[in-house]
Amino acid sequence: MVQPLGYLKESPSQTAGPYVHIGCTPNFAGIHGIFEQDLGAGPLYDEKARGERIAVNGMVIDGGGNPLKDALVEIWQADADGLHNSPSETRGTADPHFRGWGRSPGDMETGEFLFETIKPGRVPFRDGRLMAPHITFWIVARGINLGLHTRMYFPEEVEANAADPVLLRIEHRNRVPTLIARKEGEGLYRFDIRLQGEGETVFFDI
Amino acid sequence: MKNERPETSPFFARDRDQHPPAYTPWYKTSVLRSPQRALISLEGTASEITGPVFGHSRLNEFDNDLILNYARPGQMPIGPRILVHGRVMDERGCGVDGALVEMWQANAGGRYRHKKETYLAPLDPDFGGVGRTITDADGYYWFKTIMPGPYPWPNGVNDWRPAHIHFSIFGHGFAQRLITQMYFEGDPLIPLCPIVRTIPDPAAISRLIAPLDMNATIPMDMRAYKFDIVLRGRRSTLFENRKEGN
């Protein structure tokens, strides 16, 4: 016998279910009067924030090609200088006018999510190499048993993407484009997330 | 918030045997929503091990009182009154302070307040079914609510969800993000539920079942259930290979 290590086990995940919006975006779900506004709603910046304003929209698509209409998508990202608005940020103080976190329900009719944010700066990988600018995504919905982590990269960052230590870790190179958004206009990006099948988005075990 | 330096090391690798796999065909909606390719494993970078802070100042007085936060003046929802309380900890047993805990549930009849919900049980005009709170310095949280009812759902021809409360928990890092459900001790529907049975390990299931806690019951008012939640732990910073100046 040896001493027990004594670690606890992480609580098991359960699906967010069809009514995740009641809990996470109640005003969007039509429940008014409890919270003034939904957490994570609206632009991630205020008018004084530094950086290029961008909009990211997209859909979460199932293995049958159907957009999910009950998903909840969250993003987390660095500010224009590559700093996170978090107490765990040790490299400097992030822009106080940029909160870095957003939450968007898919539209109930179309499934489209939307984030109004800024283009992030570069953040170092664990060994100090700079990663290409990216936005971290987390997706939950009915039928998703454990929330899915992925990342969105920017199509114009060709050189930085080619040297990105995370993208370089993807063995099947034809899957890398699933993480790169499409530019649809000035400051307008589209990032569709495919849960399964052809073009399945790369998801991370972080 | 504790008056300590925030932690900046990566999280323990996630033990996926504690969680449901993505593809669980007896829970039919998972069939087309489950990734089939292997996940790409990645030690957490600053993009995943950091996370936002949710200040206590964001909360209103009744955010964690689902009995009162939607009720009309002088009214209260119908159903058994309960207190749900517990701690949010990490895998090291440390309380997670400042964690955002959001909860949502059906009313006592098993009906959700949602426009896509079609179950014939009635809405309760005094029950919204949503609340939130933020853990204190020890990771402790509580909220008051009405015991949710079980309800049927379209999966198999006769599937019922056990009474449950949905939880969304946001700890200190984006990689700690977790959504789960709390079940109630003694509910005979728990072992029958296809969603519960997405979790392969019976011991893991038992960690989602809240026991009746008579010591926390408020006499002549409400019973209490205790529900502890465990988020991923962080590696020790003492043994990190760090560059000079970090």
Side-chain angles (χ1 to χ4, degrees):
Chain A
M1 293 292 282
V2 297
Q3 293 183 3
L5 279 169
Y7 291 120
L8 303 175
K9 299 273 192 190
E10 186 186 9
S11 297
S13 170
Q14 291 271 264
T15 178
Y19 305 127
V20 61
H21 300 144
I22 295 176
C24 292
T25 55
N27 288 290
F28 169 81
I31 301 175
H32 300 288
I34 300 182
F35 311 142
E36 297 87 63
Q37 62 176 47
D38 294 333
L39 284 179
L44 278 67
Y45 49 78
D46 69 27
E47 67 276 5
K48 291 185 194 151
R50 296 190 295 274
E52 178 193 351
R53 270 63 172 162
I54 62 170
V56 176
N57 65 2
M59 295 186 292
V60 184
I61 300 165
D62 75 12
N66 314 294
L68 271 58
K69 294 171 184 173
D70 49 21
L72 182 79
V73 181
E74 291 185 357
I75 62 169
W76 172 241
Q77 64 165 89
D79 69 6
D81 298 320
L83 296 170
H84 291 96
N85 195 341
S86 166
S88 303
E89 177 59 82
T90 54
R91 293 168 295 129
T93 302
D95 183 350
H97 301 286
F98 181 69
R99 66 172 195 253
W101 176 72
R103 173 186 272 176
S104 177
D107 181 274
M108 282 194 199
E109 303 304 322
T110 65
E112 288 266 336
F113 61 78
L114 170 69
F115 294 100
E116 295 168 275
T117 183
I118 57 139
K119 185 169 173 183
R122 298 180 71 172
V123 176
F125 191 60
R126 295 204 64 76
D127 61 7
R129 279 181 290 168
L130 286 178
M131 297 188 282
H134 62 273
I135 299 176
T136 303
F137 275 67
W138 185 71
I139 302 112
V140 292
R142 177 173 70 105
I144 295 177
N145 288 328
L146 174 61
L148 297 166
H149 284 278
T150 188
R151 285 183 171 195
M152 181 196 115
Y153 286 82
F154 291 83
E156 66 275 13
E157 298 283 344
V158 177
E159 275 180 41
N161 289 344
D164 181 84
V166 171
L167 293 179
L168 284 173
R169 187 164 293 192
I170 300 168
E171 179 187 352
H172 301 106
R173 302 307 297 165
N174 62 347
R175 301 194 66 204
V176 172
T178 69
L179 299 184
I180 299 174
R182 202 165 71 224
K183 192 161 188 171
E184 296 205 314
E186 205 47 52
L188 185 59
Y189 296 88
R190 181 161 193 91
F191 183 57
D192 289 329
I193 296 159
R194 289 185 169 75
L195 296 178
Q196 187 187 89
E198 195 178 332
E200 179 179 310
T201 299
V202 170
F203 297 105
F204 293 99
D205 177 23
I206 298 161
Chain B
M1 297 292 289
K2 280 178 281 197
N3 188 22
E4 294 169 6
R5 276 188 59 191
E7 295 184 290
T8 55
S9 49
F11 293 96
F12 296 161
R14 186 166 240 165
D15 178 358
R16 292 190 173 255
D17 291 340
Q18 300 299 314
H19 293 285
Y23 179 70
T24 49
W26 57 95
Y27 170 32
K28 293 179 181 176
T29 315
S30 74
V31 171
L32 283 178
R33 297 183 172 194
S34 42
Q36 295 168 326
R37 310 289 293 261
L39 303 175
I40 303 291
S41 291
L42 182 66
E43 189 179 44
T45 73
S47 302
E48 296 87 19
I49 64 181
T50 58
V53 168
F54 298 95
H56 292 261
S57 61
R58 274 180 201 254
L59 299 181
N60 303 308
E61 183 181 358
F62 295 111
D63 279 8
N64 65 339
D65 189 338
L66 284 70
I67 296 176
L68 292 179
N69 72 12
Y70 197 77
R72 296 165 295 178
Q75 303 291 315
M76 280 197 273
I78 288 173
R81 298 159 58 80
I82 57 171
L83 171 77
V84 177
H85 75 122
R87 283 180 81 207
V88 178
M89 296 172 283
D90 72 13
E91 290 169 301
R92 302 168 300 179
C94 303
V96 180
D97 64 298
L100 173 69
V101 180
E102 298 167 290
M103 69 291 295
W104 66 101
Q105 62 168 89
N107 68 22
R111 172 77 185 261
Y112 285 92
R113 184 172 287 281
H114 194 280
K115 55 189 83 166
K116 289 185 178 174
E117 155 77 291
T118 56
Y119 182 37
L120 55 80
L123 284 169
D124 184 327
D126 297 304
F127 192 68
V130 52
R132 64 186 179 192
T133 186
I134 293 175
T135 57
D136 72 11
D138 297 316
Y140 185 76
Y141 76 93
W142 60 269
F143 62 95
K144 295 176 177 178
T145 190
I146 294 295
M147 181 103 171
Y151 57 86
W153 60 297
N155 184 61
V157 291
N158 188 25
D159 281 332
W160 290 73
R161 294 301 328 276
H164 63 277
I165 300 176
H166 296 265
F167 280 73
S168 165
I169 306 104
F170 208 134
H172 295 169
F174 204 59
Q176 271 182 322
R177 208 66 188 81
L178 183 70
I179 279 187
T180 190
Q181 302 180 26
M182 175 194 121
Y183 303 100
F184 292 85
E185 176 183 9
D187 188 336
L189 290 168
I190 294 171
L192 306 180
C193 175
I195 289 176
V196 172
R197 290 191 294 106
T198 61
I199 302 170
D201 179 355
I205 292 173
S206 70
R207 288 188 283 106
L208 295 183
I209 304 175
L212 177 69
D213 181 359
M214 287 301 285
N215 289 340
T217 286
I218 305 174
M220 304 307 288
D221 183 345
M222 56 178 67
R223 291 172 300 151
Y225 285 86
K226 185 162 188 285
F227 187 56
D228 289 334
I229 298 162
V230 180
L231 303 179
R232 296 169 65 184
R234 269 191 209 266
R235 294 226 309 258
S236 168
T237 46
L238 295 175
F239 309 108
E240 275 277 280
N241 293 316
R242 284 189 296 180
K243 287 186 178 153
E244 197 74 22
N246 269 2

Short mmCIF file of all heavy atoms in Angstrom, two decimals, chain B residues 1 4 10 15 18 25 28 70 76 98 113 125 146 170 216-217 219 246:
data_model
loop_
_atom_site.label_atom_id
_atom_site.label_comp_id
_atom_site.label_asym_id
_atom_site.label_seq_id
_atom_site.Cartn_x
_atom_site.Cartn_y
_atom_site.Cartn_z
N MET B 1 -12.03 37.88 -3.64
CA MET B 1 -10.77 37.36 -4.16
C MET B 1 -9.76 37.21 -3.01
O MET B 1 -9.69 38.02 -2.11
CB MET B 1 -10.21 38.33 -5.20
CG MET B 1 -11.08 38.52 -6.42
SD MET B 1 -11.19 37.07 -7.45
CE MET B 1 -9.55 37.02 -8.16
N GLU B 4 -3.73 36.81 -2.94
CA GLU B 4 -2.56 36.04 -3.33
C GLU B 4 -2.31 36.28 -4.81
O GLU B 4 -3.20 36.71 -5.53
CB GLU B 4 -2.82 34.53 -3.14
CG GLU B 4 -2.99 34.13 -1.70
CD GLU B 4 -3.51 32.69 -1.58
OE1 GLU B 4 -3.60 32.01 -2.62
OE2 GLU B 4 -3.81 32.29 -0.45
N PRO B 10 -0.32 25.66 -16.24
CA PRO B 10 -1.35 24.93 -16.98
C PRO B 10 -2.16 24.01 -16.08
O PRO B 10 -1.77 23.72 -14.94
CB PRO B 10 -0.55 24.10 -17.99
CG PRO B 10 0.85 24.55 -17.91
CD PRO B 10 1.03 25.26 -16.62
N ASP B 15 -8.90 14.09 -17.48
CA ASP B 15 -9.14 12.64 -17.44
C ASP B 15 -10.47 12.37 -18.14
O ASP B 15 -11.53 12.48 -17.56
CB ASP B 15 -9.17 12.17 -15.99
CG ASP B 15 -9.45 10.67 -15.87
OD1 ASP B 15 -9.66 10.02 -16.93
OD2 ASP B 15 -9.47 10.17 -14.74
N GLN B 18 -13.58 10.25 -17.05
CA GLN B 18 -14.59 10.76 -16.12
C GLN B 18 -15.77 11.39 -16.85
O GLN B 18 -16.77 11.74 -16.22
CB GLN B 18 -13.97 11.83 -15.20
CG GLN B 18 -12.81 11.32 -14.37
CD GLN B 18 -13.25 10.20 -13.45
OE1 GLN B 18 -14.27 10.29 -12.78
NE2 GLN B 18 -12.48 9.12 -13.42
N PRO B 25 -24.90 6.81 -28.94
CA PRO B 25 -26.08 6.71 -29.82
C PRO B 25 -27.40 6.50 -29.09
O PRO B 25 -28.45 6.79 -29.66
CB PRO B 25 -25.74 5.54 -30.75
CG PRO B 25 -24.61 4.82 -30.11
CD PRO B 25 -23.87 5.81 -29.28
N LYS B 28 -29.78 10.17 -28.75
CA LYS B 28 -29.77 10.23 -30.21
C LYS B 28 -29.18 11.51 -30.78
O LYS B 28 -28.56 11.51 -31.84
CB LYS B 28 -31.19 10.02 -30.74
CG LYS B 28 -31.69 8.61 -30.47
CD LYS B 28 -33.11 8.41 -30.97
CE LYS B 28 -33.58 6.99 -30.65
NZ LYS B 28 -34.99 6.79 -31.04
N TYR B 70 -38.32 35.86 -10.01
CA TYR B 70 -39.26 36.05 -11.12
C TYR B 70 -40.69 36.19 -10.62
O TYR B 70 -41.62 36.44 -11.39
CB TYR B 70 -39.16 34.86 -12.08
CG TYR B 70 -39.77 35.09 -13.45
CD1 TYR B 70 -39.10 35.83 -14.42
CD2 TYR B 70 -41.02 34.55 -13.77
CE1 TYR B 70 -39.65 36.04 -15.66
CE2 TYR B 70 -41.58 34.75 -15.03
CZ TYR B 70 -40.88 35.50 -15.97
OH TYR B 70 -41.43 35.70 -17.22
N MET B 76 -45.37 33.59 -4.85
CA MET B 76 -44.22 32.69 -4.90
C MET B 76 -44.57 31.49 -5.78
O MET B 76 -45.73 31.13 -5.92
CB MET B 76 -43.84 32.21 -3.49
CG MET B 76 -43.02 33.23 -2.72
SD MET B 76 -42.19 32.52 -1.31
CE MET B 76 -43.46 32.67 -0.08
N GLY B 98 -14.42 33.22 -6.58
CA GLY B 98 -14.81 34.07 -7.71
C GLY B 98 -15.32 33.32 -8.92
O GLY B 98 -15.39 33.88 -10.01
N ARG B 113 -39.35 27.39 -19.04
CA ARG B 113 -39.86 28.64 -19.61
C ARG B 113 -39.07 28.94 -20.89
O ARG B 113 -38.09 29.67 -20.88
CB ARG B 113 -39.71 29.78 -18.58
CG ARG B 113 -40.30 31.11 -19.05
CD ARG B 113 -40.31 32.11 -17.91
NE ARG B 113 -41.33 31.80 -16.91
CZ ARG B 113 -42.63 32.06 -17.02
NH1 ARG B 113 -43.08 32.67 -18.10
NH2 ARG B 113 -43.47 31.74 -16.07
N PRO B 125 -46.44 31.07 -13.35
CA PRO B 125 -46.25 32.51 -13.63
C PRO B 125 -45.24 33.16 -12.69
O PRO B 125 -44.77 34.27 -12.99
CB PRO B 125 -47.65 33.10 -13.43
CG PRO B 125 -48.39 32.10 -12.60
CD PRO B 125 -47.82 30.75 -12.95
N ILE B 146 -36.96 26.04 -6.27
CA ILE B 146 -38.05 25.08 -6.16
C ILE B 146 -37.55 23.77 -6.74
O ILE B 146 -36.86 23.77 -7.77
CB ILE B 146 -39.27 25.60 -6.97
CG1 ILE B 146 -39.84 26.87 -6.33
CG2 ILE B 146 -40.34 24.52 -7.12
CD1 ILE B 146 -40.43 26.68 -4.95
N PHE B 170 -17.74 28.73 -14.43
CA PHE B 170 -16.58 29.42 -15.01
C PHE B 170 -15.58 29.67 -13.90
O PHE B 170 -15.82 30.49 -13.02
CB PHE B 170 -17.03 30.74 -15.64
CG PHE B 170 -16.18 31.19 -16.80
CD1 PHE B 170 -16.77 31.65 -17.96
CD2 PHE B 170 -14.80 31.15 -16.73
CE1 PHE B 170 -16.01 32.08 -19.04
CE2 PHE B 170 -14.03 31.56 -17.80
CZ PHE B 170 -14.64 32.03 -18.97
N ALA B 216 -28.05 21.42 6.86
CA ALA B 216 -28.18 22.75 6.25
C ALA B 216 -29.64 23.13 5.99
O ALA B 216 -29.92 24.24 5.54
CB ALA B 216 -27.40 22.80 4.93
N THR B 217 -30.55 22.19 6.28
CA THR B 217 -31.97 22.47 6.12
C THR B 217 -32.37 23.66 7.00
O THR B 217 -31.85 23.81 8.10
CB THR B 217 -32.75 21.19 6.49
OG1 THR B 217 -32.59 20.26 5.43
CG2 THR B 217 -34.20 21.45 6.72
N PRO B 219 -35.11 24.95 9.23
CA PRO B 219 -36.31 24.37 9.85
C PRO B 219 -37.57 25.17 9.52
O PRO B 219 -37.55 26.40 9.48
CB PRO B 219 -36.00 24.41 11.35
CG PRO B 219 -34.51 24.41 11.42
CD PRO B 219 -34.05 25.20 10.22
N ASN B 246 10.44 35.65 -15.55
CA ASN B 246 8.99 35.33 -15.60
C ASN B 246 8.41 35.20 -14.20
O ASN B 246 8.99 34.60 -13.35
CB ASN B 246 8.77 34.02 -16.36
CG ASN B 246 8.56 34.27 -17.82
OD1 ASN B 246 8.61 35.41 -18.27
ND2 ASN B 246 8.37 33.22 -18.58
#
